[in-house]
């Protein structure tokens, strides 16, 4: 799947505007989060995305996408009862708080 945004448009994009390629990256990041054990993501996170992005010579699409996802709720978008309507092509995902149906 192709990307639905550019480096310039992604920071203002709504989650509902994301395409299949972006959602696949978010699903993969969510899956990694569920399997991380005692490891922690250090970048991007809600606390580090804006703080450390200035130290990268070139912004990376995946980092901008993850930063945007965290700004819109991050892991919470996959929880039951979330206000974010996930596209039909996004699989039902489990979280640490609930399990897939």
């Amino acid at each position: 799947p192709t990307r639905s945004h550019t480096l310039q448009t992604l920071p203002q994009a709504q989650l509902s505007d994301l395409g299949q390629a972006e959602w696949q990256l978010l699903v993969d990041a969510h899956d990694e989060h569920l399997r991380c054990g005692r490891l922690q993501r250090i970048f991007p996170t809600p606390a580090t995305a804006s703080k450390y992005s200035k130290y990268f010579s070139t912004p990376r699409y995946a980092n901008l996408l993850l930063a945007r996802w965290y700004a819109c709720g991050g892991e919470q978008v996959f929880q039951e009862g979330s206000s974010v309507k996930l596209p039909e092509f996004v699989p039902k995902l489990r979280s640490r708080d609930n399990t897939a149906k």
Side-chain angles (χ1 to χ4, degrees):
T2 59
R3 296 176 179 170
S4 59
H5 288 277
T6 66
L7 290 173
Q8 292 75 30
T9 64
L10 191 57
Q12 293 81 30
Q14 299 300 313
L15 293 182
S16 59
D17 297 333
L18 300 179
Q20 194 167 356
E22 287 85 7
W23 278 105
Q24 185 59 53
L25 190 141
L26 298 176
V27 166
D28 291 345
H30 177 70
D31 184 53
E32 288 171 2
H33 174 73
L34 294 175
R35 294 183 284 118
C36 70
R38 295 184 340 190
L39 300 175
Q40 289 184 343
R41 178 185 308 275
I42 58 172
F43 185 83
T45 68
T48 64
S50 62
K51 184 175 182 179
Y52 294 112
S53 59
K54 62 185 171 195
Y55 296 109
F56 290 84
S57 59
T58 304
R60 302 283 188 236
Y61 192 82
N63 289 342
L64 290 175
L65 177 60
L66 287 171
R68 186 68 189 132
W69 178 57
Y70 283 124
C72 293
E75 301 292 331
Q76 295 176 358
V77 304
F78 294 120
Q79 292 181 359
E80 196 169 314
S82 170
S83 62
V84 176
K85 178 157 174 36
L86 299 176
E88 290 187 19
F89 55 78
V90 174
K92 298 274 188 223
L93 299 173
R94 61 188 174 92
S95 72
R96 291 179 192 233
D97 297 331
N98 65 343
T99 55
K101 303 224 179 331

